[in-house]
Amino acid sequence: MSQNDITPQRPAKEDYKRIATEEAFAPPDLFDMYRKVLADGKADAGFTSLWAFYLSSDAARPQHIRKYIQDLDTARLAHMDEAGIDIQVLSLTSPGVQVFDADTAVSYARTANDYLAEAVRRHPTRFVGLAAVAPQNPAEAAKEIERGATQLGMKGIIVNSHTQGEYLSDPKFWDIFAAAEAFDMPIYLHPSTPPPKMIEPFMEAGLDGAIYGFGVDTGLSALRIITAGVFDRFPKLQLVLGHMGEALPYMAYRLDYMHRATVAANRYESMKPLKKRPSDYLRENFYVTNSGVAWEQAIRFAQEFMGVDRVMYAMDYPYQHVLDEVITLDNMNMATHDKKAFFQTNAERVFKIG
Amino acid sequence: MSQNDITPQRPAKEDYKRIATEEAFAPPDLFDMYRKVLADGKADAGFTSLWAFYLSSDAARPQHIRKYIQDLDTARLAHMDEAGIDIQVLSLTSPGVQVFDADTAVSYARTANDYLAEAVRRHPTRFVGLAAVAPQNPAEAAKEIERGATQLGMKGIIVNSHTQGEYLSDPKFWDIFAAAEAFDMPIYLHPSTPPPKMIEPFMEAGLDGAIYGFGVDTGLSALRIITAGVFDRFPKLQLVLGHMGEALPYMAYRLDYMHRATVAANRYESMKPLKKRPSDYLRENFYVTNSGVAWEQAIRFAQEFMGVDRVMYAMDYPYQHVLDEVITLDNMNMATHDKKAFFQTNAERVFKIG
């Protein structure tokens, strides 16, 4: 419980560090590059829906995001202090380099990672970095994972769901998984807007973004990775899903039942037997964070399903920058050890912090 | 708890009736009509994926389904007795008439409803019927709802998500909601395979069916109905979602947050302010059933979120015909009143049984 009887404006000091694990940044030139992609008509419907809005709207939310997402010094640290966030685990905002042509993507992933590594060097007690990679060129992505791990001090990898409609379940991308496993780097599988072959029924109703389309597409990404047998090939690989696991924990029973039934009936060439049940991979090869979801009931569900050691805190700054949510989470009715695992020790272990 | 120390092969007699609320049937001519749709090349990818498989595969699961789904007498009643199911709430199997041209759909909905009503008359203590409607012709669908309620003794309506890519959120379909509200008939919003503009990334990986695509598309259907303002226009309307609410209860916090943020930013023409939060409509205008999900953890989550009076039992016969699941559910660690609400009294109230 919080130490004050009256709910404070700011989160109180607690007996744990707060490590926020899905926090976004953008180097100063990224938005100009995104504007160019939009101007050139090369963007798909999802990217256009998302970034034409965030880059141009005068509403308070996009203004707040544009104002703070590029800052990796004074303003961000002040917001962290105000919210009681000790450490941000930082990643290039979605869809990162995955909207660019392959050469630009490879080159800009390096640029963005150098930029992030420099910020981490300036504020080594406050920032931790995840390396961006360009799935468009899996061999170069694998090299960048190695460079991130061995030269830049990166503690994981960020990938935003599909890359121009292609999912990491395709074996052509598996050099990325091999490198992640070899360098013991967890992959944060972050949302992107759904690809063109999926987005229309969502977009018609304004449901393509964080409200629903993000979660559905990222859940699909994760499920495709599971059912393609990635974890049978790379058993030590660890993925991180935000937004309470993009609903997959809640769906676990049906995933297991229908996977078993579908495989037994030999219905699809693309769905072959696995060594374990889908829910086993969710429990053994995934961590989930509560990004966007300051709701004890869902957090406790995920803890019960995944184990308390696999559920971590995230704020989703600057997209969801709400101090009351931190206070709500501080006040969860949860054993001291479990709450510290949620806010601090799980992230320290997963991202090798401290 | 079950009355035996050793888990029995068959569910034991308990102090509640078991009313299964999402149980499928097919009149004898339906499969011939589906075969004709497939042969004529008029079916979309989702229908083809589903029914070309179920109508032709020699695997045990599709054989079981083909063998029993048409029976509304001896074989089904024997299965119900064996599983301890007192009453089945029956509905025309998905996608029902929604794959046909409008005239065929209107005509066959009547035929199927007459056929079902006759079965209910033969076995009035064992069967309850939901009326199929053809959204292709909303005015005729509304008439069929009236006929179902006033002449056929139907206790609700079955609609399978989208109709050839169009969702009930479109106001052109709202005569259906008006009739459902006027005759106090709940609408069971049942899954269908995702429409062509959405299905490809699912189908590539064999995930378009009950394992994932069904749930995602039905969740989208329900969300589109909510965000279109249907419940502000028809506040007494009640919908039923299977499969633990197609994950929407677990997503409720994010739905509320992002709906509020998106509306405040005026991002979409199609997303306007509502009188309540999305989660309020989920709690006040929806029931959920556990079809396909014999998992206490998820059922208790839904009960905590929706209230114990809004979560009901379903088996999903003959698609998921598993006696052990009934026993698992009998053994849930749940207050007597709540378990009886789950198995019996909620369904009696919602479908006006007895």
Side-chain angles (χ1 to χ4, degrees), chain A residues 45-250:
Chain A
F47 182 86
T48 304
S49 172
L50 189 71
W51 281 106
F53 168 73
Y54 277 125
L55 290 175
S56 70
S57 168
D58 290 332
R61 173 178 164 78
Q63 286 212 47
H64 180 86
I65 291 163
R66 287 200 299 275
K67 183 170 180 184
Y68 292 112
I69 199 169
Q70 296 186 22
D71 185 280
L72 287 171
D73 293 288
T74 310
R76 183 176 297 249
L77 292 170
H79 278 161
M80 289 168 65
D81 291 342
E82 184 185 47
I85 304 300
D86 294 280
I87 297 173
Q88 280 193 349
V89 179
L90 289 161
S91 47
L92 185 64
T93 197
S94 180
V97 303
Q98 292 168 246
V99 69
F100 300 135
D101 67 79
D103 289 348
T104 305
V106 168
S107 162
Y108 195 74
R110 288 193 203 112
T111 301
N113 292 335
D114 288 340
Y115 184 84
L116 175 57
E118 186 55 40
V120 174
R121 275 192 289 272
R122 286 197 305 278
H123 307 291
T125 62
R126 307 302 299 277
F127 293 154
V128 167
L130 304 185
V133 297
Q136 294 95 321
N137 186 329
E140 288 295 332
K143 282 191 205 168
E144 188 62 9
I145 290 169
E146 176 172 4
R147 191 178 80 99
T150 61
Q151 297 178 40
L152 298 182
M154 295 289 179
K155 301 303 181 74
I157 303 151
I158 181 89
V159 175
N160 302 290
S161 190
H162 68 92
T163 303
Q164 299 172 31
E166 295 189 310
Y167 291 84
L168 295 184
S169 50
D170 187 325
K172 76 180 185 183
F173 293 117
W174 290 15
D175 281 357
I176 295 170
F177 294 132
E181 191 185 51
F183 292 97
D184 197 16
M185 296 267 270
I187 300 176
Y188 205 119
L189 191 66
H190 185 281
S192 186
T193 37
K197 289 181 178 176
M198 174 177 160
I199 199 169
E200 209 168 303
F202 298 82
M203 204 159 58
E204 287 170 355
L207 295 167
D208 52 300
I211 188 171
Y212 192 61
F214 274 19
V216 161
D217 178 65
T218 313
L220 176 63
S221 250
L223 270 182
R224 288 183 60 143
I225 289 168
I226 290 171
T227 57
V230 166
F231 299 109
D232 288 346
R233 173 72 185 77
F234 306 104
K236 293 181 188 165
L237 179 66
Q238 297 292 322
L239 265 56
V240 185
L241 287 173
H243 317 101
M244 297 317 306
E246 313 295 4
L248 298 184
Y250 187 76

Side-chain angles (χ1 to χ4, degrees), chain A residues 201 208 224 250 253 268 325, chain B residues 201 208 224 244 253 268 325:
Chain A
D208 52 300
R224 288 183 60 143
Y250 187 76
Y253 186 96
Y268 297 96
E325 292 190 338
Chain B
D208 51 302
R224 287 183 61 144
M244 297 317 306
Y253 186 96
Y268 297 96
E325 292 189 338

Side-chain angles (χ1 to χ4, degrees), chain B residues 239-281:
Chain B
L239 265 58
V240 185
L241 287 172
H243 318 101
M244 297 317 306
E246 314 294 4
L248 298 183
Y250 187 76
M251 297 175 167
Y253 186 96
R254 192 155 165 81
L255 296 176
D256 284 351
Y257 185 95
M258 287 299 168
H259 185 265
R260 189 170 59 244
T262 308
V263 168
N266 199 24
R267 180 170 164 185
Y268 297 96
E269 268 303 307
S270 54
M271 187 174 284
K272 293 301 181 194
L274 299 174
K275 290 184 182 170
K276 304 176 189 174
R277 300 173 299 180
S279 67
D280 295 324
Y281 301 105

Side-chain angles (χ1 to χ4, degrees), chain B residues 34-303:
Chain B
Y34 279 3
R35 283 193 186 92
K36 186 165 185 313
V37 169
L38 291 168
D40 291 349
K42 290 181 183 168
D44 68 23
F47 182 86
T48 304
S49 173
L50 189 70
W51 280 107
F53 168 72
Y54 276 125
L55 290 176
S56 69
S57 168
D58 290 331
R61 173 177 165 77
Q63 286 212 47
H64 181 85
I65 292 163
R66 285 199 302 273
K67 183 170 180 184
Y68 293 111
I69 199 167
Q70 296 187 20
D71 184 280
L72 287 171
D73 293 288
T74 311
R76 184 176 295 249
L77 291 170
H79 279 160
M80 289 169 65
D81 291 342
E82 183 185 49
I85 304 299
D86 294 280
I87 296 173
Q88 281 193 348
V89 179
L90 289 161
S91 47
L92 184 65
T93 196
S94 179
V97 302
Q98 294 169 245
V99 70
F100 300 135
D101 67 78
D103 289 348
T104 305
V106 168
S107 162
Y108 195 75
R110 287 192 204 115
T111 301
N113 292 334
D114 287 340
Y115 183 84
L116 175 56
E118 185 54 41
V120 173
R121 275 192 289 271
R122 284 197 305 278
H123 307 291
T125 63
R126 307 303 300 277
F127 293 155
V128 167
L130 304 185
V133 297
Q136 294 95 321
N137 186 331
E140 289 295 332
K143 282 190 206 168
E144 188 63 8
I145 290 169
E146 176 173 2
R147 190 178 79 100
T150 60
Q151 297 178 41
L152 298 182
M154 295 290 180
K155 300 304 181 75
I157 303 151
I158 181 89
V159 175
N160 303 288
S161 190
H162 68 91
T163 303
Q164 300 174 30
E166 296 189 308
Y167 291 83
L168 295 184
S169 50
D170 187 326
K172 77 178 183 183
F173 293 117
W174 290 14
D175 280 357
I176 295 170
F177 295 132
E181 192 185 52
F183 292 97
D184 197 16
M185 296 267 270
I187 300 175
Y188 204 118
L189 191 66
H190 185 280
S192 185
T193 38
K197 289 182 177 176
M198 175 177 160
I199 200 171
E200 209 168 303
F202 297 81
M203 205 162 54
E204 287 170 356
L207 294 167
D208 51 302
I211 188 171
Y212 192 62
F214 273 19
V216 161
D217 178 65
T218 314
L220 176 63
S221 250
L223 271 182
R224 287 183 61 144
I225 289 168
I226 291 171
T227 58
V230 167
F231 299 108
D232 288 346
R233 174 71 185 77
F234 305 103
K236 293 180 189 166
L237 178 67
Q238 297 292 321
L239 265 58
V240 185
L241 287 172
H243 318 101
M244 297 317 306
E246 314 294 4
L248 298 183
Y250 187 76
M251 297 175 167
Y253 186 96
R254 192 155 165 81
L255 296 176
D256 284 351
Y257 185 95
M258 287 299 168
H259 185 265
R260 189 170 59 244
T262 308
V263 168
N266 199 24
R267 180 170 164 185
Y268 297 96
E269 268 303 307
S270 54
M271 187 174 284
K272 293 301 181 194
L274 299 174
K275 290 184 182 170
K276 304 176 189 174
R277 300 173 299 180
S279 67
D280 295 324
Y281 301 105
L282 285 173
R283 286 186 172 104
E284 297 169 18
N285 296 94
F286 284 85
Y287 293 86
V288 308
T289 82
N290 80 313
S291 50
V293 184
W295 188 23
E296 179 172 352
Q297 192 189 333
I299 292 166
R300 292 175 71 95
F301 183 95
Q303 286 180 326

